[in-house]
Amino acid sequence: MLEFELKEREFEKIASIVYDHCRLNLRGGKKPLVEARLAKRLRALGMGTYKDYLALVEADEEELGMMITSLTTNHTKFFREPEHFEFLQKSFFPEVLEIGIRTLRIWSAGCSSGEEPYSIAIEMRESLPDIGRMDALVLATDISRKALRQASEGVYTVESVKNVPAALRNKYFSKSSAGGELLEVKPVIKNLVRCRHLNLMDPWPMKKGFNIVFCRNVMIYFDKVTQQGLVGRFQRVIRPGGVLIVGHCESLAGMGQGFRCVSPTIYQKI
Ligand SMILES: C[S@@+](CC[C@H](N)C(=O)[O-])C[C@H]1O[C@@H](n2cnc3c(N)ncnc32)[C@H](O)[C@@H]1O
């Protein structure tokens, strides 16, 4: 017997709200996940029924955001999918140096708690000796305000920083003033990253001109039509010759018009 009963019509209502807001598809077997994740929210709010909870979600945009955060997967880690960082190190940044590019814009779209944009910024700092005199930024966006808060703070457990090679860990992380066994990304890296709230389904306020867009392990949660629309929008904001990088379970198969496949997850705008 579940602590809170989620009636079929309430599940349908939640599924429509979430799909309309961020195109996350919960229909087709996700009811147990919704029950498990939202029961925690109901408990935290001291609510007894999903009817009351839905009334709150419909009246309060902040709770809608909390519900979306509870239902999305924020799993991430530093230097996840190392082949992408190898691409930056061995191919992309050497070209930046060779061509003499001075303005560099990289977008981590769906950055979660910040491990991805900070890994990119570390690689950037390591590969571009002149970075202090360049106009270089990593834009980090996510729909989850909770994840973004952590990204902006740049404070991580020792355990989660284990994936960073020791030499880079010693160079770019310091003991956090927040105490405990926490490490903080140093300002020299933080200053390269700008964290902003953005639902990818909304209009994008940024101008075009990205050299690289990382959108990894985000599109996998969207249906094909949404994925196609998003890839088209990325194509329009990436500079000619720029690159779109997706996650290892994703691909642009059948929707990569305007891109040349460099490797199964790396696409260059033609
Ligand atoms: C699994 S994490 C991936 C994090 C990182 N890109 C990586 O590969 O390690 C997926 C992220 O996408 C975000 N997300 C899901 N739907 C979104 C949307 N419509 N707009 C912006 N971000 C979204 C989630 O909040 C979550 O932080």
Side-chain angles (χ1 to χ4, degrees):
M1 182 72 183
L2 287 169
E3 186 182 355
F4 306 103
E5 188 199 352
L6 178 60
K7 299 196 176 89
E8 204 50 49
R9 65 168 186 284
E10 291 164 343
F11 170 69
E12 259 309 305
K13 179 93 194 162
I14 291 171
S16 331
I17 293 174
V18 171
Y19 187 81
D20 291 348
H21 190 70
C22 67
R23 292 290 178 274
L24 179 66
N25 190 5
L26 297 171
R27 295 186 178 94
K30 295 275 169 66
K31 192 169 173 227
L33 177 137
V34 172
E35 281 172 322
R37 302 257 178 105
L38 292 190
K40 282 192 204 144
R41 241 2 254 148
L42 265 72
R43 228 173 283 132
L45 292 163
M47 285 188 154
T49 66
Y50 280 101
K51 185 170 174 252
D52 291 346
Y53 183 64
L54 271 166
L56 175 66
V57 165
E58 287 181 302
D60 179 1
E61 203 161 318
E62 206 168 307
E63 187 53 41
L64 170 64
M66 294 294 278
M67 179 170 87
I68 303 281
T69 292
S70 305
L71 295 173
T72 47
T73 302
N74 297 113
H75 173 76
T76 185
K77 60 180 185 175
F78 284 101
F79 293 97
R80 183 182 194 182
E81 301 180 41
E83 66 276 16
H84 297 154
F85 296 94
E86 211 173 292
F87 167 76
L88 291 182
Q89 194 190 84
K90 299 207 170 128
S91 179
F92 184 78
F93 289 135
E95 207 176 302
V96 167
L97 289 175
E98 197 185 310
I99 302 174
I101 293 176
R102 306 297 301 169
T103 302
L104 202 53
R105 291 287 177 273
I106 300 182
W107 180 14
S108 165
C111 65
S112 191
S113 36
E115 289 85 337
E116 179 178 278
Y118 288 130
S119 303
I120 298 167
I122 288 174
E123 202 61 76
M124 198 152 104
R125 177 112 222 148
E126 283 293 291
S127 299
L128 304 174
D130 207 20
I131 189 131
R133 280 186 291 276
M134 287 173 67
D135 174 14
L137 273 184
V138 181
L139 172 68
T141 67
D142 202 279
I143 194 172
S144 164
R145 291 191 191 273
K146 187 176 166 203
L148 263 187
R149 212 170 305 124
Q150 192 184 351
S152 309
E153 285 164 4
V155 174
Y156 300 93
T157 61
V158 169
E159 183 61 33
S160 60
V161 180
K162 274 204 173 124
N163 220 31
V164 179
L168 299 179
R169 200 162 60 222
N170 295 335
K171 198 165 165 187
Y172 295 122
F173 289 81
S174 56
K175 223 171 159 30
S176 170
S177 53
E181 287 290 280
L182 297 172
L183 295 175
E184 185 162 354
V185 179
K186 285 191 180 171
V188 72
I189 295 300
K190 259 195 204 170
N191 291 341
L192 292 171
V193 176
R194 296 281 178 283
C195 299
R196 298 282 180 270
H197 179 257
L198 182 71
N199 177 353
L200 288 170
M201 300 308 138
D202 288 345
W204 299 345
M206 322 73 88
K207 295 190 192 81
K208 52 183 159 190
F210 287 99
N211 302 82
I212 308 190
V213 173
F214 280 74
C215 187
R216 307 186 305 163
N217 310 298
V218 179
M219 286 197 283
I220 194 172
Y221 301 105
F222 303 146
D223 54 32
K224 197 86 189 163
V225 175
T226 308
Q227 290 178 2
Q228 268 165 344
L230 205 48
V231 169
R233 291 177 78 193
F234 285 137
Q235 204 262 352
R236 290 192 285 281
V237 297
I238 293 174
R239 289 179 188 185
V243 172
L244 173 62
I245 299 184
V246 299
H248 64 291
C249 294
E250 300 160 321
S251 114
L252 296 204
M255 51 184 163
Q257 256 189 358
F259 286 103
R260 173 182 81 83
C261 180
V262 177
S263 81
T265 53
I266 302 178
Y267 299 85
Q268 184 173 39
K269 178 167 164 173
I270 301 163

